[in-house]
């Protein structure tokens, strides 16, 4: 039953991430001065996964979300940008998370993810354009990515404290890892 519960939890998070991603793709870019910049709302699911399941399962969740979102409304190009951003973001968040709850918060980890996501996408854009001048866009996107990461981190923190199912999965994960991120 416990294994089945985990599979259902992962499937629900993947479905939520895909739906959030597809809805966000329908929203016009909110920042006229930064074409292509999005809020990254689906990263909320990644943050929740980082604090409720082991690395292997959260990594699987990211891949499933990327593939399904691309199949349902993307292109190879959007997949490349999303993949590079998501993987660099995930790796950066994992590294920062290792600092532990006494040195960094969920919000700080999420802000790192917002920044790294933009770095990953710009590296891919530079590769496609065969020019590093695309990286001149990094300061603007970094600012927006960090702000978005903070907002998503606040939302994740709130959900992890207030949603009973998430709290139970987080508690079980914390018992496995012997590290508590609870702020209450």
């Amino acid at each position: 039953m416990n294994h089945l519960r985990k599979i259902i939890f992962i499937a629900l998070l993947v479905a939520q991430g895909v739906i959030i991603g597809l809805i966000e793709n329908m929203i016009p870019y909110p920042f006229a001065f930064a074409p292509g910049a999005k809020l990254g709302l689906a990263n909320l699911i990644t943050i929740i996964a980082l604090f409720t399941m082991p690395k292997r399962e959260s990594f699987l969740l990211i891949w499933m979300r990327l593939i399904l979102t691309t199949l349902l409304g993307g292109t190879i190009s959007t997949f490349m940008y999303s993949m590079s951003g998501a993987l660099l973001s995930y790796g950066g968040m994992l590294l920062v998370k290792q600092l532990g709850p006494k040195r960094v918060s969920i919000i700080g980890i999420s802000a790192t993810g917002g920044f790294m996501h933009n770095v990953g996408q710009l590296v891919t854009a530079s590769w496609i354009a065969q020019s590093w001048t695309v990286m001149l866009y990094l300061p603007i996107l970094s600012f927006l990515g960090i702000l978005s990461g903070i907002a998503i981190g606040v939302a994740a923190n709130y959900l992890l404290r207030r949603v009973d199912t998430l709290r139970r999965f987080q508690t079980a994960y914390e018992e496995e890892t012997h590290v508590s991120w609870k702020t209450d």
Side-chain angles (χ1 to χ4, degrees):
M1 184 66 167
N2 192 21
H3 181 68
L4 179 60
R5 199 173 274 178
K6 271 185 177 180
I7 291 171
I8 292 170
F9 181 63
I10 292 169
L12 288 172
L13 287 180
V14 169
Q16 290 169 356
V18 169
I19 290 168
I20 292 169
L22 292 174
I23 290 171
E24 188 173 22
N25 286 341
M26 290 188 262
I27 298 171
Y29 297 122
F31 308 108
F33 59 90
K38 291 188 175 191
L39 297 172
L41 300 175
N43 291 328
L44 175 63
I45 301 303
T46 303
I47 296 293
I48 288 172
L50 279 173
F51 291 92
T52 58
M53 62 184 67
K55 290 176 203 165
R56 183 178 178 170
E57 292 170 4
S58 60
F59 190 69
L60 174 66
L61 178 142
I62 289 169
W63 274 106
M64 289 171 46
R65 192 186 88 201
L66 283 170
I67 291 167
L68 287 172
T69 303
T70 302
L71 289 174
L72 293 172
T75 63
I76 294 296
S77 175
T78 58
F79 177 75
M80 287 173 54
Y81 285 111
S82 296
M83 179 186 64
S84 59
L87 294 179
L88 196 57
S89 172
Y90 181 72
M93 289 189 292
L94 283 177
L95 284 173
V96 172
K97 186 181 175 198
Q98 288 180 345
L99 294 172
K102 291 183 180 178
R103 293 191 182 104
V104 68
S105 67
I106 292 172
I107 297 165
I109 292 167
S110 180
T112 300
F115 170 74
M116 295 304 286
H117 197 275
N118 289 325
V119 171
Q121 289 186 323
L122 286 177
V123 167
T124 298
S126 294
W127 178 70
I128 290 170
Q130 297 290 302
S131 171
W132 287 104
T133 57
V134 175
M135 296 304 283
L136 294 172
Y137 202 32
L138 186 60
I140 294 168
L141 286 183
S142 294
F143 177 73
L144 295 173
I146 291 168
L147 281 181
S148 178
I150 289 169
I152 288 168
V154 168
N157 214 11
Y158 179 82
L159 291 171
L160 287 167
R161 276 196 254 147
R162 303 282 185 240
V163 177
D164 190 45
T165 302
L166 295 179
R167 242 189 1 249
R168 277 188 270 137
F169 274 95
Q170 183 181 19
T171 301
Y173 176 63
E174 289 175 349
E175 287 172 2
E176 270 180 40
T177 61
H178 307 292
V179 178
S180 177
W181 288 86
K182 296 225 179 0
T183 56
D184 290 352

